[in-house]
């Protein structure tokens, strides 16, 4: 097997409502839209060191509902402040909780139903 250097992981997620996705990530989560196609079939969003891309379903992968068996886990330095700013603007999976593995976390769903977890070291 050839050796290679993995440089970065950027999730590419599908959205069936790109305008709502753009609004959720830019207005609620305060991401910046760094690039997009004019027809909104693809866009790239960034917040500090975090980047995520979205695309509409296409012929290579056309699933009728947005699905992901895991979550996007975002570490932050202000989990409590973030919770206060988000809790009234999105669907909540679980409120802030301190876990035995040394993290304070909460989780929400984005407009597509993807689970976003936010955590801070205790």
């Amino acid at each position: 097997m050839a050796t290679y250097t993995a440089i970065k992981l950027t999730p590419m997620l599908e959205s069936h409502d790109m305008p709502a996705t753009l609004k959720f990530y830019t207005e609620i989560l305060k991401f910046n839209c760094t690039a997009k196609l004019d027809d909104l079939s693809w866009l790239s969003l960034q917040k500090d060191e975090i980047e995520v891309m979205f695309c509409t379903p296409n012929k290579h992968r056309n699933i009728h509902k947005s699905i992901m068996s895991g979550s996007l886990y975002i570490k932050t330095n202000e989990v409590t402040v973030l919770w206060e700013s988000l809790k009234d603007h999105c669907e909540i999976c679980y409120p802030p909780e301190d876990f035995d593995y040394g993290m304070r976390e909460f989780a929400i769903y984005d407009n597509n139903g993807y689970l976003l977890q936010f955590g801070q070291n205790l």
Side-chain angles (χ1 to χ4, degrees):
M1 181 173 148
T3 58
Y4 67 95
T5 301
I7 298 170
K8 183 178 180 183
L9 173 67
T10 304
M12 171 72 83
L13 304 174
E14 287 187 354
S15 174
H16 292 269
D17 188 345
M18 293 292 274
T21 297
L22 181 60
K23 183 176 181 175
F24 182 88
Y25 279 83
T26 58
E27 294 181 15
I28 294 174
L29 294 181
K30 306 301 184 199
F31 276 62
N32 294 312
C33 182
T34 56
K36 65 182 176 179
L37 295 179
D38 290 339
D39 66 357
L40 275 187
S41 61
W42 172 87
L43 56 86
S44 180
L45 300 156
Q46 188 166 353
K47 172 74 174 138
D48 303 317
E49 299 299 316
I50 305 297
E51 182 183 17
V52 62
M53 295 185 290
F54 286 90
C55 66
T56 55
N58 58 53
K59 67 180 181 177
H60 302 290
R61 183 183 144 110
N62 188 4
I63 297 173
H64 300 288
K65 181 181 178 194
S66 298
I67 59 169
M68 179 171 50
S69 63
S71 67
L72 297 179
Y73 192 97
I74 301 170
K75 286 189 173 182
T76 180
N77 63 343
E78 291 290 346
V79 75
T80 302
V81 171
L82 185 58
W83 166 254
E84 290 299 323
S85 72
L86 295 178
K87 68 181 182 176
D88 297 325
H89 303 285
C90 48
E91 183 182 351
I92 298 165
C93 178
Y94 62 89
E97 185 176 343
D98 294 345
F99 290 93
D100 292 340
Y101 47 84
M103 297 297 290
R104 180 170 177 77
E105 301 172 358
F106 70 88
I108 62 170
Y109 296 99
D110 79 356
N111 66 294
N112 301 292
Y114 294 124
L115 181 61
L116 307 176
Q117 292 176 273
F118 297 87
Q120 178 179 5
N121 291 329
L122 288 173

